Amino acid sequence: MKTILVTGATRGIGYATARRLLGLQDERRAPPAEPRTVVALGRDFSTFDLDHTALPEGLQCQRVAFDLRNVDGIAALCASLPRVDVLINNAAMLTAQSFDTYAPKDRRDLIATNIEAPAELIRCLAPGMTAAPRVQGICGRVINIASVAGFGGHPDVWYGASKGAILNLTKSLAKHYGPSGVMVNAVAPGPTKTAMFDRLPQSRIDEFNRVVFARRFAEADEIARVICWLALEAPEYVNGSCFDVASGGYLR
């Protein structure tokens, strides 16, 4: 059985991704070609319902409560999990604070959550992936959720900087693990309707809507569809890539 770990799975893009991986966007509710367990990692499960929902045959959901700011505890967390075949590093913080008055603790928490935790999860889980048999040249997959803020800047300077770091981490670790059969890719969403959306001023929303072709923010499930393709279907030759999902608004 394939195991897929999704961080930040209790809301937004992470929730939409877990839902799609569990077949809940498929009206046919057809069983997957290969059984899989989705491990949903998050801090607050008060509104999480996927592990209490009737799922298609062959699909399971397991919740794991963990605070990724506790980077030193990630190794023990990973040791408690079954071998992970696919890691989706989705969890992230955004505080929308001014650079000049950014709270030091919030800065440290953001860096831990957005940069250190994804890197530590990969470090702990990739060796288990490389030990697995290769299927069509692939033995494991990592998908890092970046942002167009990583190459276009962001009013929350530390958030933008962290997403730039994730893009570089993706390239660096694709070079490191790619020869061993692990695919390491990134998805860089543009403006998306999540809880972070509620923190944006109207002027910022209007600016986004002017620059994207679709003239609207993305739905979380639109981003999830790209993530799931990388997690389940993308061929071996897709490695070290970043997929911009921004309706042409941030071409590079």
Side-chain angles (χ1 to χ4, degrees), residues 44-65:
D44 179 8
F45 284 89
S46 58
T47 61
F48 187 81
D49 57 356
L50 300 183
D51 54 343
H52 299 304
T53 303
L55 301 175
E57 182 182 356
L59 295 174
Q60 299 178 19
C61 182
Q62 172 188 347
R63 67 170 70 182
V64 173

Side-chain angles (χ1 to χ4, degrees), residues 26 124 239 246:
D26 186 351
C124 293
N239 210 342

